[in-house]
């Protein structure tokens, strides 16, 4: 009975959950800080934990696997029109658009003085508007054919697509006026990143709004086996939801305004730093360096972080399970309990700080 006071003081000190409460946030903070140096910024707390559990990595093409810096490499214009005229009309329709194609068209057309009114955008397909009182459609060849009721030159269209270029069409109610082919270079580390993800056991998928032949051409160069093309934003979203219903944990990587819905739907989403603001706002992580291998480093770090969290939780629980009976039995004095609690917390923090060190090969 004479020991009731020190025992009563030791027990709550020993059971103080400092180490347990520090186990996860210290590891997450250390991993997040380390990844900033790799150019990957986690904007939501659960992003790294979800990335570690991802089973499918889904990529957009333009601006993600490619640089998104499109250049006009070829064009086919119908009789009675010239390239400059068609580019001027296209640039007027693309006024204010953030899409890489729009920037490429405006850059190529320069200052032409034309303006468009009543512009309406169909996400993932194209847009329409009036230029000099004439209605025009600009977008995917299929979209222009459906809206204008006119047919593209199938031979010219296939020739432009065979080189793996992105092809868009310009048409009005009388004819498809022009076909424009835009080239976009692959990111230097795209193939390396895809190979690393596949080696880590991830299923890599390409979802593209471009024609299937163009998407397959890009996928073949970097080693992606599962490819889907001619997709509208709603189709991409439906595909991701279908994967999730099958039990997949999806990490979506994209950059454009058309990717915002599917980025928001994925369990974890990564937006390219050079992409649109809407895509960045919808994402859980930002790839600031535009290096796709930075995402691979993020995946590896996420796995290490989960392992450290498990170690921290195991230590904290083991300490409390062993120390509590000893304190209740009177073997631990209050000052010993205070030292033990502090040491336990320091061990957890020190273990988390190991994430800041470079992992040896």
């Amino acid at each position: 009975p004479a020991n009731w006071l020190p025992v009563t003081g030791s027990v709550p000190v020993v059971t103080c959950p400092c180490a347990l409460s520090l186990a996860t946030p210290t590891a997450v903070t250390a991993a997040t800080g380390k990844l900033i140096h790799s150019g990957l910024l986690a904007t939501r707390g659960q992003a790294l934990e979800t990335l570690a559990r991802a089973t499918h990595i889904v990529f957009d093409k333009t601006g993600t696997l490619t640089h998104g810096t499109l250049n006009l490499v070829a064009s086919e214009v119908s009789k009675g029109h010239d390239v400059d005229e068609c580019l001027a009309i296209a640039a007027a329709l693309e006024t204010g658009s953030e899409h890489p194609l729009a920037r490429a068209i405006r850059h190529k057309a320069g200052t032409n003085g034309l303006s468009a009114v009543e512009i309406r955008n169909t996400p993932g397909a194209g847009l329409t508007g009036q230029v000099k009182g004439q209605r025009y459609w600009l977008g995917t060849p299929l979209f222009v054919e459906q809206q204008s009721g006119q047919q593209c030159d199938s031979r010219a269209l296939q020739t432009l697509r065979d080189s793996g270029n992105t092809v868009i069409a310009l048409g009005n109610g009388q004819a498809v006026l022009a076909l424009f082919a835009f080239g976009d270079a692959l990111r230097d580390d795209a193939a390396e990143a895809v190979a690393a993800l596949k080696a880590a056991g991830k299923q890599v998928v390409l979802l593209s709004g471009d024609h299937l032949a163009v998407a397959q051409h890009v996928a073949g160069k970097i080693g992606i086996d599962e490819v889907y093309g001619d997709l509208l934003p709603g189709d991409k979203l439906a595909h991701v939801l279908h994967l999730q219903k099958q039990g997949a944990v999806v990490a979506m990587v994209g950059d454009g305004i058309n990717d915002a819905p599917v980025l928001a739907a994925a369990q974890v989403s990564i937006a390219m730093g050079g992409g649109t603001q809407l895509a960045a706002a919808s994402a859980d992580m930002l790839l600031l360096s535009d290096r796709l291998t930075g995402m691979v480093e993020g995946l590896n770090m996420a796995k290490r972080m989960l392992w450290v969290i498990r170690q921290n939780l195991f230590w904290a629980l083991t300490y409390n399970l062993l120390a509590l009976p000893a304190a209740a039995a009177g073997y631990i004095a209050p000052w010993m309990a205070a030292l033990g609690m502090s040491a336990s917390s320091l061990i957890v923090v020190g273990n988390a700080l190991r994430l800041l060190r470079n992992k040896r090969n």
Side-chain angles (χ1 to χ4, degrees), residues 250-307:
V250 178
M252 178 69 196
V253 190
D255 84 308
I257 191 170
N258 295 331
D259 300 322
V262 71
L263 284 170
Q267 281 98 329
V268 60
S269 52
I270 304 172
M272 306 300 291
T276 63
Q277 294 181 4
L278 181 57
S282 304
D284 301 306
M285 308 179 80
L286 290 177
L287 200 56
L288 301 176
S289 67
D290 284 344
R291 289 173 49 251
L292 291 176
T293 48
M295 186 187 66
V296 179
E297 295 169 9
L299 178 62
N300 294 333
M301 177 59 72
K303 291 180 178 178
R304 291 176 60 197
M305 183 195 72
L306 286 185
W307 177 238

Side-chain angles (χ1 to χ4, degrees), residues 31-300:
T32 302
K34 180 65 175 178
L35 283 178
I36 291 177
H37 296 288
S38 300
L40 185 63
L41 173 64
T43 60
R44 292 178 175 86
Q46 81 285 0
L48 279 175
E49 295 179 63
T50 310
L51 180 61
R53 297 186 291 105
T55 59
H56 289 64
I57 310 296
V58 179
F59 285 99
D60 176 46
K61 182 181 77 69
T62 303
T64 305
L65 293 174
T66 64
H67 286 284
T69 306
L70 297 168
N71 295 296
L72 181 65
V73 295
S75 59
E76 291 286 341
V77 182
S78 63
K79 292 182 179 179
H81 300 274
D82 60 55
V83 174
D84 292 337
E85 174 195 4
C86 293
L87 278 173
I89 296 171
L93 294 172
E94 293 284 15
T95 300
S97 175
E98 291 186 75
H99 197 281
L101 279 171
R103 293 195 292 266
I105 289 172
R106 292 196 299 266
H107 175 74
K108 189 68 177 179
T111 304
N112 53 68
L114 292 182
S115 61
V117 296
E118 298 182 12
I119 299 175
R120 294 196 302 272
N121 179 39
T122 302
L127 44 81
T128 181
Q130 289 192 22
V131 179
K132 292 184 176 181
Q134 174 76 43
R135 180 160 296 280
Y136 293 92
W137 290 270
L138 178 70
T140 66
L142 179 61
F143 170 78
V144 173
E145 287 180 342
Q146 291 175 340
Q147 298 298 318
S148 67
Q150 306 298 318
Q151 295 296 313
C152 297
D153 185 334
S154 57
R155 181 176 298 179
L157 179 59
Q158 188 60 45
T159 300
L160 294 174
R161 281 175 172 166
D162 284 343
S163 299
N165 296 316
T166 299
V167 181
I168 64 171
L170 173 69
N172 57 22
Q174 289 74 46
V176 175
L177 305 180
L179 295 172
F180 301 114
F182 294 86
D184 190 7
L186 282 169
R187 295 189 185 275
D188 298 335
D189 60 348
E192 179 185 352
V194 170
L197 292 171
K198 293 170 71 174
K202 308 300 180 184
Q203 181 69 35
V204 183
V205 183
L206 174 59
L207 302 182
S208 176
D210 276 333
H211 191 267
L212 180 59
V214 177
Q216 288 175 332
H217 180 84
V218 170
K221 286 187 173 182
I222 58 178
I224 297 180
D225 302 317
E226 191 172 349
V227 188
Y228 301 89
D230 296 309
L231 299 180
L232 297 175
D235 299 326
K236 294 182 181 181
L237 179 59
H239 189 89
V240 168
L241 294 177
H242 176 69
L243 289 175
Q244 291 172 334
K245 287 180 181 179
Q246 294 180 330
V249 178
V250 178
M252 178 69 196
V253 190
D255 84 308
I257 191 170
N258 295 331
D259 300 322
V262 71
L263 284 170
Q267 281 98 329
V268 60
S269 52
I270 304 172
M272 306 300 291
T276 63
Q277 294 181 4
L278 181 57
S282 304
D284 301 306
M285 308 179 80
L286 290 177
L287 200 56
L288 301 176
S289 67
D290 284 344
R291 289 173 49 251
L292 291 176
T293 48
M295 186 187 66
V296 179
E297 295 169 9
L299 178 62
N300 294 333

